[in-house]
Every structure is written in C-alpha cells, then in structure tokens.
Amino acid sequence: MSTVLETTTLLAQVGMGRIQGGWEYIWAAYGIAWASLSLYALSLWIRRPIKASRDTKE
C-alpha cells in the first residue's frame, strides 16, 4: 500500500497539462545549429587549398 501512496504522491507533484511557451528554446537551438554550420562552412572555405583556387582562374 505504501508503494501506491508514493506513486500517487509523485504523480500529483508532476502535474498534468501541456507545456506552454518554450519557443525561445527552440529558436535558440535553431540559431545555434545554423551558426555552427555557417562557421564550419566558413572555416572550410578559408582552409581551402590555394593551388586549387589558382587553377580555376586560368
């Protein structure tokens, strides 16, 4: 009987309903992801071999 009471108490503390708000975290996650991809692309472009860029000009 003690386990049932503990489970009921735990469920009462959790609450019921829907999460409200939270879009700030979603937009922040998208922003961090796009910023990371952009910085990685920029680092690849900066580190590209110089010879390859000279060959394309000729």
Side-chain angles (χ1 to χ4, degrees):
M1 190 66 176
S2 171
T3 307
V4 174
L5 181 60
E6 290 175 10
T7 304
T8 306
T9 306
L10 179 64
L11 290 175
Q13 291 175 356
V14 171
M16 296 196 168
R18 297 175 61 185
I19 296 173
Q20 295 182 355
W23 283 105
E24 297 85 13
Y25 296 106
I26 294 171
W27 287 116
Y30 274 113
I32 290 169
W34 278 107
S36 300
L37 289 173
S38 299
L39 288 173
Y40 179 63
L42 179 64
S43 74
L44 289 176
W45 185 74
I46 290 172
R47 293 183 290 152
R48 72 188 188 284
I50 294 174
K51 184 180 179 202
S53 65
R54 288 184 189 155
D55 290 343
T56 57
K57 293 180 182 178
E58 293 178 7

